[in-house]
Amino acid sequence: MDDRSPLRRPRGGRAPVARPHLVSAVIEVTDLGFRYPGAAAPSLEHVDLTIERGDFVAVVGGNGSGKTTLCKSFNGLIPHYWSGEFSGSVLVSGHDTTEVSVARLSHLVGYVYQDFTNQLVRPTVHDEVSFGPVNYGLADHAARTEEAMERLGIEHLRDRFVWQLSGGQQHLVALASVLAMRPEVIIVDEPVAELDPVHAEQVYERLSELNRTLGTTIIVIEHHAEFVARYCRSVVLMSQGTVAWHLPVRDALSRADELAEHGIPAPQVVHVSRALTPDRPVSTTVDELAEAMRGRVDHPGAAHPPAAASTATADETPAACTPVVAELDSVHFGYRTVEGRRSTVLDGVDLRLHEGQRVALVGGNGAGKSTLLRLLTGLKVPLAGEVVVDGTNTRTISAAELADRVSYLHQHPEQMFLNDTVRADIAMFPRSRARVDALETVETILERMNLLGVADRDGRMLSGGQQRRATLGIGLAMTPLLLLLDEPTSSLDVATRNVVIEMLADLSDRIRCVVVATHDMHLVAEWADRVVVLGNGRVLRDCTPRDLFADADLLAEAMLVPPQVTQVGIALGAHPPVLSVAEFTARFAATAGDRSHERVGS
C-alpha cells in the first residue's frame, strides 16, 4: 500500500466540527465507521477517502468488503435509513450527510442500487423516469425525462409497463430515472450485472459521456476489471471494511496480484501483457494489447492452433448421442399486455437438452432466456407446442412435483430466501424430502460456497454477491437432474465466479444437465460445451463457444461481445478463436517470445 499516492488521504482521527472544505473534492470521508444493527462486526471501520469532483471512480473488493455500505453513506441512507452505530463524517459538496435529509441529498447524489427493481415505483417507463423531476416540481421535468431516456436508448420503451421489461431493460430505466435528476454524483452498484454485453458497453459509454461533457462524478461498484480499465480514472480497493488504497487506474491494475487476493483479478489483457510483452508498459485494454502484439507474431492463426472448430450444430456432437433430459417442440409463448395484446417472446422454438451437456443460453436483453427456463420448470406452460422434462409433459404435472427433477435459480437471488437463516434455506428442500444425508449435504455446500461465516444470517440481509452464492447453495442441495441457473455469476467478484465455474464443472456426476442463461462471456468460453443463441423469438444458432465467437454477424445480431483474449486474437488474425488466457499464451508465446528477444537485443 502506497500512502504517498496523491489520491490517498492519510488516516487520522475524527474530523473537527469546523474544518476547511476542499474545493476540488465532491466527497470527503473522515474516520468513518458503521455497524449494522445486530451485526457482530462493523461493516466499515476507520475509512478515510477523498473523491475529487469530476472523477470516474471504481470501488472494488471482494463480496462483503463494505463497498455498497460505503457508497450508501454518500447519499445519506447511512445513517438516516440504516440507523446503526455511526462514527466519523461524510461531506458531499461540503454538506455533512448527518445534517442533510436523504431527500435533499438526492439532488446531489443519484444512486442505482444493486437490487434496482425495488426503486421502480411507477407503472410505465415514462412515468418512472419523470417521477423524480415531477415530484420535486422542476419546471423542466419534461425535457429532463426525454433527455434521460434518449441518452440510454430506451425512448422506444416509454409506454411499456416496467413489469413487462427484462431485467436488463429495468436496469436501464432505473439509471434513466437517476439521470433525470441531473445530480452532481451518480453511483451505480454493479452497472452491467444484468445487461447483455452490447448494452453493458453502451451504459459505460453513456456514463463516460456524462462524466466528460457534464463533469458529473461517476462512482461504480464493479467486479469487471475490463470495464474499470477502459473507463475509470481511479480505483478504490475495499478490504475488510476499510480503504486499502485509492490509486490512478493504471497504477491500480498494475497491482494484479494484490487485486487477485481480493477477488478482483486483473483483466485478461493485463495477464497476457505481463507474460508476452514484458518489455513494454502493461496493456490494460484490447486495443493496447493488440498494438503491442502486432509485429511480434507471424501467422498467428497457425501458431499452435487447437483442433479446428466444428461447423456442426451442438445437437450433432457426441454429447447429443446421450439420452434426452428435456425438450421443447415447436414452443410458442408470449405475455398478455394490459391493453389485451399478446407479445411474442418465443416463436416456434425446438430444442433438445442431452445428458452430460453444459449449455449456455445467450442473447440480448429481452431475447426470452428467462422465459425459456421458466417453461422448463413448469412455472409457465407454452401457448402452443410441448415441453417435456425427463419424459413428462409439463402440462400434466405441477411445478412443485417437477421440482424433484428440476431446480431453477432466479435471476434475482433475494426471491430464493424463505427462512431466517441461510443454513435453513439450503436445508429446506433435502429435509422436506427426508433425505438421510441432508445435514452432511448442507455443511458441505456451506463450506464449498464459502458461506460458513454467514450461515446463520438472514439471506435477505446479505450483500448481492453473498446472496448469489447462497442461492447456488440452495440449488445444489436439491440435487436435480436438470439444473437451471439465471445469471448465476451476476454480482459476483471474479474469484467467486471462478468458484462457481469450477462447481458447475464438478456437477456432472450428480446433475445430468446444466443450463445457464448468461451474459457472462467468460463463463461461456471457459465452461460451456454448447451455446444456444436466442433472438427474435427463435434459436439463431446452436453451436460451440468457439463457433459462436468466430461468427461476427451472429455476435452483432445477438448483442454479444467475446472475452478480451478472444478479441485480441481476432484482431491478430487468429483462427479459430482462442477462448482463455492459457490458450492465448500457449498459441502466441513462442513467436511473441522470439520477437521480444529480438527487440530487447536490438
Side-chain angles (χ1 to χ4, degrees):
M1 182 170 63
D2 186 1
D3 287 327
R4 296 171 298 172
S5 167
L7 292 173
R8 174 69 196 268
R9 285 183 59 82
R11 181 172 295 175
R14 182 176 298 187
V17 174
R19 64 184 174 91
H21 170 59
L22 300 178
V23 176
S24 63
V26 68
I27 295 176
E28 299 172 78
V29 181
T30 304
D31 200 30
L32 175 64
F34 184 75
R35 184 194 303 264
Y36 285 101
S43 293
L44 298 175
E45 192 170 22
H46 301 303
V47 175
D48 294 296
L49 178 67
T50 297
I51 294 178
E52 302 297 325
R53 192 177 303 277
D55 201 355
F56 197 132
V57 185
V59 181
V60 305
N63 294 129
S65 61
K67 305 183 298 295
T68 297
T69 300
L70 172 65
C71 290
K72 285 180 178 177
S73 74
F74 299 161
N75 72 343
L77 284 184
I78 292 175
H80 293 295
Y81 182 76
W82 294 103
S83 54
E85 299 176 20
F86 182 95
S87 61
S89 69
V90 178
L91 300 183
V92 178
S93 287
H95 301 281
D96 190 324
T97 59
T98 63
E99 299 175 357
V100 181
S101 69
V102 173
R104 172 58 185 145
L105 286 169
S106 69
H107 291 266
L108 302 174
V109 181
Y111 203 127
V112 180
Y113 300 97
Q114 194 169 3
D115 51 351
F116 56 86
T117 54
N118 290 336
Q119 70 186 97
L120 302 177
V121 298
R122 300 295 296 159
T124 69
V125 170
H126 179 273
D127 290 344
E128 178 62 41
V129 178
S130 66
F131 178 73
V134 170
N135 191 48
Y136 282 108
L138 302 178
D140 59 344
H141 62 83
R144 287 171 177 255
T145 300
E146 296 301 324
E147 177 187 284
M149 291 192 296
E150 182 178 351
R151 282 189 182 276
L152 291 179
I154 59 172
E155 60 269 29
H156 66 289
L157 300 175
R158 59 182 297 122
D159 296 322
R160 294 279 299 276
F161 290 94
V162 293
W163 59 80
Q164 295 175 320
L165 306 180
S166 69
Q169 290 169 329
Q170 289 177 338
H171 200 176
L172 292 173
V173 173
L175 178 57
S177 68
V178 165
L179 295 184
M181 291 296 294
R182 298 177 184 169
E184 295 182 28
V185 180
I186 292 178
I187 302 170
V188 189
D189 196 342
E190 300 287 354
V192 303
E194 296 191 17
L195 295 179
D196 60 62
V198 168
H199 281 110
E201 298 266 355
Q202 291 175 356
V203 165
Y204 264 100
E205 287 291 343
R206 284 163 176 136
L207 289 173
S208 181
E209 180 186 2
L210 289 169
N211 176 253
R212 183 176 60 255
T213 61
L214 301 180
T216 306
T217 304
I218 306 295
I219 302 172
V220 294
I221 301 173
E222 187 58 88
H223 290 129
H224 297 81
E226 57 267 33
F227 287 109
V228 174
R230 290 178 58 191
Y231 294 100
C232 298
R233 287 202 288 273
S234 71
V235 181
V236 174
L237 175 63
M238 293 295 294
S239 176
Q240 297 180 336
T242 195
V243 174
W245 42 252
H246 182 194
L247 296 170
V249 65
R250 191 172 292 275
D251 293 344
L253 293 176
S254 70
R255 302 188 176 197
D257 295 337
E258 186 177 357
L259 287 171
E261 291 174 1
H262 293 275
I264 311 294
Q268 289 182 326
V269 293
V270 170
H271 291 291
V272 172
S273 176
R274 294 172 73 190
L276 299 186
T277 61
D279 57 314
R280 295 176 59 113
V282 173
S283 300
T284 60
T285 67
V286 167
D287 290 342
E288 287 180 0
L289 181 59
E291 180 62 29
M293 293 289 294
R294 286 193 181 98
R296 297 188 177 208
V297 178
D298 290 322
H299 308 296
H304 307 291
S310 169
T311 57
T313 66
D315 251 0
E316 296 170 335
T317 61
C321 299
T322 60
V324 173
V325 174
E327 58 185 314
L328 288 78
D329 182 16
S330 300
V331 167
H332 294 259
F333 189 84
Y335 296 97
R336 190 171 296 282
T337 67
V338 173
E339 299 89 352
R341 300 190 305 270
R342 187 176 295 279
S343 62
T344 298
V345 179
L346 300 178
D347 187 12
V349 170
D350 293 303
L351 186 66
R352 293 190 303 275
L353 303 174
H354 295 266
E355 186 171 323
Q357 288 185 332
R358 299 181 298 198
V359 184
L361 192 61
V362 304
N365 292 119
K369 300 183 297 296
S370 297
T371 296
L372 192 151
L373 294 186
R374 292 189 183 100
L375 286 166
L376 287 168
T377 66
L379 292 171
K380 302 286 185 183
V381 293
L383 299 176
E386 305 297 337
V387 177
V388 177
V389 177
D390 194 29
T392 301
N393 192 310
T394 59
R395 296 183 189 275
T396 67
I397 188 173
S398 71
E401 293 173 297
L402 199 56
D404 280 319
R405 286 172 271 181
V406 181
S407 176
Y408 170 57
L409 303 190
H410 293 269
Q411 187 173 13
H412 302 291
E414 64 275 7
Q415 298 179 16
M416 298 289 292
F417 301 112
L418 303 175
N419 294 286
D420 293 335
T421 68
V422 170
R423 189 188 306 275
D425 279 317
I426 293 176
M428 185 172 67
F429 190 89
R431 284 180 177 171
S432 70
R433 281 1 186 220
R435 293 182 178 171
V436 294
D437 62 343
L439 180 60
E440 180 182 354
T441 297
V442 171
E443 293 305 314
T444 298
I445 289 171
L446 287 171
E447 181 177 3
R448 184 71 186 273
M449 292 305 298
N450 192 24
L451 291 167
L452 288 173
V454 297
D456 297 316
R457 291 181 59 185
D458 190 323
R460 290 157 291 200
M461 302 299 292
L462 301 180
S463 71
Q466 291 168 329
Q467 286 185 340
R468 188 70 62 177
R469 293 206 311 270
T471 59
L472 281 167
I474 294 170
L476 294 178
M478 298 171 73
T479 58
L481 66 89
L482 177 62
L483 178 61
L484 310 173
L485 303 99
D486 203 344
E487 295 291 353
T489 58
S490 173
S491 304
L492 293 181
D493 60 53
V494 179
T496 306
R497 183 187 70 185
N498 291 339
V499 170
V500 171
I501 292 174
E502 291 173 5
M503 290 192 68
L504 291 175
D506 291 342
L507 291 176
S508 57
D509 60 334
R510 287 176 288 167
I511 297 175
R512 289 165 57 189
C513 182
V514 181
V515 182
V516 173
T518 186
H519 295 310
D520 185 345
M521 294 299 105
H522 294 275
L523 178 63
V524 172
E526 297 172 17
W527 170 79
D529 55 29
R530 178 183 179 186
V531 185
V532 176
V533 186
L534 292 182
N536 301 320
R538 56 191 177 87
V539 175
L540 299 178
R541 184 85 185 273
D542 189 348
C543 59
T544 67
R546 210 178 296 277
D547 291 332
L548 168 66
F549 296 133
D551 191 334
D553 292 338
L554 176 63
L555 291 170
E557 184 177 4
M559 297 186 174
L560 304 176
V561 177
Q564 285 188 322
V565 290
T566 307
Q567 294 179 57
V568 176
I570 291 171
L572 296 175
H575 183 79
V578 295
L579 299 182
S580 67
V581 170
E583 184 182 326
F584 188 100
T585 54
R587 289 181 66 179
F588 294 115
T591 306
D594 291 343
R595 289 300 181 98
S596 296
H597 178 72
E598 291 172 8
R599 179 169 297 193
V600 172
S602 62

